[in-house]
Amino acid sequence: MAELEGLEFGKSDFVLLDEVTMDQFMENLKLRFQKGRIYTYIGEVVVSMNPYRQMDIFGKETIEAYRGRELYENPPHLYAVSDAAYKAMKRRAKDTCIVISGESGAGKTEASKYIMQYIAAITNPGQRVEVESVKNVLLKSNCVLEAFGNAKTNRNDNSSRFGKYMDINFNFNGDPTGGHINNYLLEKSRVVHQQQGERNFHSFYQLLRGGSEEMLQSLHLQGDPALYVFTREGAGAAVSSRLQTSYNDRSNHKAVMSALDVIGFSNQEITSIYQILASILLLGNVQFEVDGESVQVVEDGVVNQIAELTATDPDCVVKSLLYRTVATGGGEVIEKGHTEQDACFGREAFAKALYERLFGWIVSRINSVIEVKNYNPVLHGKNTVIGVLDIYGFEIFDNNSFEQFCINYCNEKLQQLFIELILQQEQSEYQREGITWQHIDYFNNQIIVDLVEQPHKGIISILDEACLTVGKVTDTVCLESMNTKLAQHPHYTSRKLSPTDKTMDFQKHFRIRHYAGDVTYSVEGFLDKNKDLLFQDFKRLMYNSANPVLKEMWPDGQLGITEVTKRPLTAASLFKNSIVALVDKLACKEPYYVRCIKPNEVKSPVLFDDARCQHQVAYLGLLENVMVRRAGFAYRQLYSRFLQRYKMTCEYTWPNHLMASDRDAVEAIIRQHGFQDDVAFGHTKLFVRTPRSLFTLEQERAALIPILVLFLQKIWRGALARLRCKRMRAIYTIMGCYKRYKVKAHFWEVEGRFANVRTTADYGRSVEWPAPPAALTQFHQITLMWWARQVVKNIPPSDMPEVRAKVAALTALQGERKHWGVGRAWERDYLANARDCPQTSSDFIRVSKELKNKDGFTQVVFSGLCRKVNRFNKSTDRALLITDKFVYKLEPKKQYKILKKLPLDVFTGLSTTSGVDQMLVLHTSNKDDILLCLQRGELCPNQDRVGEVVGAQICPGMYP
């Protein structure tokens, strides 16, 4: 925890200094740097020292230690302010931003990368694929933009040569859903010229040193940067030992190629990117010579290679380099040849424009991937934003030109925003709220901002006026105009206004007293860079390219030669408008600041340059920030919102208070927790001095939330249960009524069908019973049995044995056989019936009596003729006699001679077919089964006797 850091590390928060003086501030800053503590707080502002070495404080364990923790719970760190911005965004659904500022080489770019990594690490715990994809693109975009927008300078090995502001969009769960990148003022002049000891953009060296032989050959390149004019100056610029291992062009090229693929660039787009880079390198090697009165290209081979890489016609490339097509006032089109100087200027302007358009297209292509699409707040909840600003720091070089002027103006605007938000607005808010306050003086740089941007009087207005003036207006004439209009300004001077200052030259230099120090600018090239001229011929050339990617980058090339267009805004005005828009965007968000300090100029991890650091502390306004923080309050919130968040921590305010106002309710919360000495009550807001009080409230709220959630769940579940109970009761009531209706309807149907069955001959046996409802299934069975009894009661007693036999047969056959003689009277003893066997009936009667006397059976159950089939498939006519004790096989042709006699208990079963045939199988226990086919009577040839045998076999004693 921050408060547990030993005294040997100094004070972790400058607000805790015994005395707020520059000496104590610097002493604490130096002690912490020497002890390896590169981060220190000023309240919620992080002061970051560039360590110039790798530090083991950015791993997964460190991320977990800071996840969800308050600022003062852990030692100062970038992760802490990142988490604070994330929590503010998630808890209060409020847009936040993290502004990283400091001069070049102070570590802003690295700080922004660590912030992005932390936000990516703590979001999307559910590992949703679409969110992970957004996170990967956001992280990989840093790698790509760093390659194409950063370069080595004399003060920084990885200096951002453009400004970057990234908005990260979050859904209501706090997971990133997309983002948007804005880029500001790419230093495109670096493409064609670098100062001694500096390099061109990283992308050129990565291509030359990291590209494969096949790739370089296809791009008409060789791997040595010294072979190309635009990279020759930086070819020998050694990267400092700190980055020699980490910043390797070869490995970084592979990383960029991988990042482009992850982001979603197609192979054609990636190829086009490197074709454009190769074209720029080859453009630098195009040389011109004067041939009489005209200028010629020295070597056509390079031009042909450029034409191939840009998918254009070689003759058109040469024509664009050597001639300028213009339209006269009368609409006549003429070609004006360039001088050698104009041709060189056009070549360099073309190279710079190519790189600028390429960089802008890459940014827009990334935005097309990460921008939130089809977002509906009603469906997806509120979309909140965290902005991260990584923009070039204040620069003072030996030769400061137009780019440094714009960069330093940008830093003035950001410093003004810091003053307004941290110093000016804070003090004015205390006054509005009636909080006792001791005013703190601070330097307001509004006067310097006005010097640059004030309409009609500022330097940008003077430059624009000079660019619009017809005639030969030089940089010197523009400087004279500035001297005339700004002579009385306290922050502007020149050699003409200060003749004794020999550090400036006449007609060349002017000086601005910036908040970060005095900067002398060379006016040479100011007007050309502000006009940002590029001949229309180059635009038309690129628009007519056969490469669709290149064509997309130059939409303005579609204009014809004679088409009149509105004069475009100058580079300075465009930059001013974009910076004003940026400041407005930051001002509407809750800001968190990282103030970066450069400890020395030699990139040493141990050297602390007191004078250099004190100068940065002074112009960053850190001492004034400490004073305001010590005298002010760490947190302020409207009474209504404070009450809404913390009312559950007080018994007098939960769930709703009955006090006169929200302020009285907030006072009750503060009194219950004993924070009276740590807060102040404004007219509309509560002010809390230290974060500890707020953290105590957050802890208690976090402990109560699960209890409240359980309570709400209980109430809600009870309400749902009661609702379900009411519904179930209604359902059961409806079901009961419906069941009663179905029962009644069934009874009505039965009553209707069986109303007159007593008068019918079959007593209703032919009437079909209606299907009963489920509730009456059992009752229906009982009713059928009762009805059956009623039917049976009318059957004569003499017919009952036959009825029982038929019931037995019906039960045995179980509906498997459709025809089995149920609809006729069963005569049983067919052999004794003279009608059935007129010639042999008397013989059978005689034999039957003899067997009855001999074997002692009581009755004949069934007798009839049949045809027996043996195992050899031979059939013979036989007679079958079944009694209540035995089964006889008789020979009808020999006066019914007994062939075989078997007792009934020998038989184990009977089988028949489902058809109309009369086949039967009598199964015996000794496996000697009898297969036979019953013969129908002579008088009734269609008579089915199978069911009769089945009934007799099952119930042999059923007949009296």
Side-chain angles (χ1 to χ4, degrees), residues 538-552:
F538 292 119
K539 298 178 182 179
R540 285 193 291 271
L541 175 69
M542 292 296 97
Y543 180 76
N544 293 319
S545 168
N547 186 335
V549 176
L550 199 57
K551 185 183 182 75
E552 183 184 346

Side-chain angles (χ1 to χ4, degrees), residues 475-476 479 482 507-510 521-527:
D475 296 321
T476 303
L479 178 60
M482 290 164 57
Q507 298 184 343
K508 181 179 181 181
H509 291 138
F510 68 93
Y521 298 98
S522 172
V523 78
E524 293 179 352
F526 257 59
L527 290 183

Side-chain angles (χ1 to χ4, degrees), residues 90-273:
K90 190 174 181 180
R91 286 177 180 174
R92 303 197 295 272
K94 188 171 185 179
D95 293 344
T96 60
C97 64
I98 302 175
V99 180
I100 309 169
S101 58
E103 66 178 50
S104 180
K108 300 184 300 300
T109 299
E110 292 299 310
S112 70
K113 287 194 289 188
Y114 287 131
I115 290 170
M116 290 289 295
Q117 289 171 2
Y118 180 81
I119 293 174
I122 66 173
T123 53
N124 192 31
Q127 296 296 306
R128 291 169 53 205
V129 176
E130 63 273 19
V131 177
E132 285 299 307
S133 175
V134 171
K135 285 163 54 174
N136 287 337
V137 172
L138 290 173
L139 291 175
K140 293 297 183 181
S141 66
N142 278 330
C143 175
V144 175
L145 296 179
E146 200 171 285
F148 287 88
N150 288 25
K152 179 195 179 300
T153 67
N154 289 321
R155 305 180 69 180
N156 185 358
D157 288 336
N158 189 30
S159 177
S160 296
R161 307 318 301 161
F162 73 106
K164 180 182 71 175
Y165 174 74
M166 177 183 288
D167 268 335
I168 309 172
N169 299 87
F170 295 84
N171 61 17
F172 69 98
N173 283 328
D175 292 330
T177 58
H180 185 83
I181 299 172
N182 294 97
N183 65 298
Y184 303 94
L185 190 68
L186 178 73
E187 188 191 25
K188 59 183 179 181
S189 62
R190 182 170 293 274
V191 173
V192 299
H193 177 71
Q194 306 92 42
Q195 296 191 30
Q196 185 65 33
E198 297 189 351
R199 299 205 318 174
N200 207 324
F201 291 100
H202 294 322
S203 55
F204 292 108
Y205 304 95
Q206 291 175 3
L207 170 61
L208 295 174
R209 290 173 174 158
S212 64
E213 287 294 331
E214 181 183 358
M215 182 181 188
L216 293 178
Q217 186 176 359
S218 67
L219 298 175
H220 306 294
L221 296 177
Q222 300 180 48
D224 185 5
L227 298 176
Y228 304 97
V229 172
F230 290 161
T231 55
R232 187 176 299 159
E233 296 181 26
V239 179
S240 71
S241 59
R242 177 178 69 90
L243 288 176
Q244 278 181 354
T245 56
S246 64
Y247 209 90
N248 183 282
D249 291 321
R250 186 173 290 104
S251 62
N252 284 329
H253 175 71
K254 293 180 181 178
V256 171
M257 293 288 285
S258 174
L260 289 170
D261 181 61
V262 170
I263 292 171
F265 285 82
S266 66
N267 291 333
Q268 180 186 4
E269 290 172 334
I270 295 174
T271 301
S272 298
I273 289 172

Side-chain angles (χ1 to χ4, degrees), residues 385-526:
V385 169
I386 293 181
V388 180
L389 177 64
D390 171 24
I391 206 161
Y392 17 58
F394 194 84
E395 293 185 345
I396 306 177
F397 294 151
D398 294 334
N399 180 31
N400 301 291
S401 188
F402 180 78
E403 290 81 9
Q404 282 69 48
F405 169 76
C406 292
I407 288 171
N408 293 340
Y409 159 66
C410 171
N411 280 269
E412 290 285 356
K413 289 290 289 184
L414 293 177
Q415 177 66 9
Q416 182 191 33
L417 178 67
F418 177 78
I419 290 171
E420 289 181 353
L421 294 180
I422 300 299
L423 304 178
Q424 183 175 318
Q425 283 189 11
E426 184 138 347
Q427 296 196 70
S428 61
E429 184 176 31
Y430 295 148
Q431 294 174 0
R432 286 196 310 271
E433 291 290 328
I435 303 297
T436 304
W437 173 261
Q438 181 180 355
H439 183 76
I440 296 173
D441 293 326
Y442 56 87
F443 171 69
N444 190 337
N445 70 332
Q446 181 64 49
I447 188 173
I448 304 175
V449 173
D450 290 341
L451 168 65
V452 176
E453 70 175 18
Q454 189 174 14
H456 310 299
K457 297 180 181 179
I459 294 176
I460 291 179
S461 295
I462 296 173
L463 286 174
D464 289 351
E465 183 180 345
C467 292
L468 296 175
T469 301
V470 179
K472 189 67 174 178
V473 179
T474 63
D475 296 321
T476 303
V477 173
C478 181
L479 178 60
E480 288 298 324
S481 178
M482 290 164 57
N483 289 335
T484 301
K485 295 182 178 180
L486 303 173
Q488 304 302 317
H489 200 286
H491 290 267
Y492 175 88
T493 188
S494 66
R495 182 66 187 274
K496 181 178 180 180
L497 301 178
S498 302
T500 59
D501 189 349
K502 296 184 180 181
T503 59
M504 294 184 290
D505 294 337
F506 284 105
Q507 298 184 343
K508 181 179 181 181
H509 291 138
F510 68 93
R511 180 176 296 155
I512 297 177
R513 291 178 56 197
H514 287 284
Y515 77 97
D518 295 351
V519 181
T520 301
Y521 298 98
S522 172
V523 78
E524 293 179 352
F526 257 59

Side-chain angles (χ1 to χ4, degrees), residues 524-565:
E524 293 179 352
F526 257 59
L527 290 183
D528 287 339
K529 292 177 180 178
N530 190 38
K531 291 177 183 177
D532 195 21
L533 284 178
L534 179 67
F535 298 139
Q536 192 70 21
D537 301 73
F538 292 119
K539 298 178 182 179
R540 285 193 291 271
L541 175 69
M542 292 296 97
Y543 180 76
N544 293 319
S545 168
N547 186 335
V549 176
L550 199 57
K551 185 183 182 75
E552 183 184 346
M553 298 180 191
W554 298 82
D556 46 350
Q558 61 183 319
L559 296 176
I561 299 173
T562 58
E563 290 186 65
V564 179
T565 59

Side-chain angles (χ1 to χ4, degrees), residues 700-929:
E700 187 169 345
R701 179 181 183 274
L704 289 171
I705 287 296
I707 300 173
L708 296 177
V709 169
L710 288 175
F711 175 75
L712 292 175
Q713 286 178 343
K714 181 185 72 173
I715 298 299
W716 178 239
R717 285 171 182 166
L720 289 179
R722 286 187 289 273
L723 182 61
R724 282 196 296 268
C725 182
K726 290 181 180 179
R727 288 179 178 174
M728 292 301 293
R729 286 176 178 172
I731 290 171
Y732 285 135
T733 301
I734 294 172
M735 288 173 60
C737 293
Y738 183 70
K739 286 179 180 179
R740 287 192 292 273
Y741 163 74
K742 291 290 286 183
V743 168
K744 292 178 181 179
H746 179 69
F747 289 151
W748 294 332
E749 181 70 17
V750 171
E751 183 182 4
R753 292 189 182 188
F754 290 88
N756 300 314
V757 295
R758 292 180 183 273
T759 61
T760 61
D762 61 356
Y763 208 72
R765 281 182 293 174
S766 60
V767 178
E768 183 180 357
W769 283 78
L776 291 179
T777 302
Q778 186 176 1
F779 178 78
H780 180 67
Q781 298 297 329
I782 297 172
T783 305
L784 288 177
M785 293 173 63
W786 172 85
W787 173 78
R789 291 193 196 100
Q790 302 305 311
V791 174
V792 169
K793 283 194 306 183
N794 293 325
I795 299 176
S798 59
D799 294 339
M800 287 306 296
E802 181 181 339
V803 171
R804 291 191 183 94
K806 288 183 177 181
V807 170
L810 175 65
T811 305
L813 293 174
Q814 296 180 347
E816 294 294 332
R817 185 178 177 93
K818 184 177 180 182
H819 303 284
W820 51 279
V822 67
R824 67 177 180 84
W826 289 357
E827 297 182 15
R828 298 181 292 127
D829 195 359
Y830 292 99
L831 293 178
N833 192 332
R835 291 177 304 168
D836 199 65
C837 300
Q839 298 177 357
T840 61
S841 61
S842 59
D843 294 335
F844 175 76
I845 294 172
R846 178 181 54 80
V847 172
S848 176
K849 288 180 179 180
E850 292 175 358
L851 291 176
K852 183 176 181 182
N853 295 330
K854 179 181 177 181
D855 295 333
F857 61 81
T858 306
Q859 59 181 343
V860 174
V861 176
F862 179 82
S863 68
L865 296 175
C866 65
R867 194 164 185 80
K868 180 184 176 299
V869 182
N870 64 15
R871 69 185 67 181
F872 303 107
N873 202 25
K874 293 183 179 181
S875 61
T876 55
D877 291 331
R878 294 289 184 264
L880 177 66
L881 173 61
I882 301 175
T883 68
D884 56 351
K885 290 184 179 181
F886 298 97
V887 174
Y888 300 91
K889 181 171 68 173
L890 307 175
E891 170 60 78
K893 294 180 180 180
K894 296 182 179 181
Q895 298 179 350
Y896 295 100
K897 178 183 177 181
I898 300 172
L899 300 177
K900 196 171 187 178
K901 180 181 74 171
L902 294 172
L904 280 179
D905 54 7
V906 172
F907 294 95
T908 59
L910 181 149
S911 296
T912 184
T913 65
S914 59
V916 297
D917 58 77
Q918 302 297 296
M919 296 294 294
L920 283 175
V921 180
L922 301 178
H923 302 287
T924 62
S925 58
N926 57 6
K927 307 298 182 182
D928 188 15
D929 297 343

Side-chain angles (χ1 to χ4, degrees), residues 927-941:
K927 307 298 182 182
D928 188 15
D929 297 343
I930 301 172
L931 175 61
L932 50 88
C933 179
L934 300 176
Q935 292 184 7
R936 299 182 174 95
E938 294 180 7
L939 298 177
C940 300

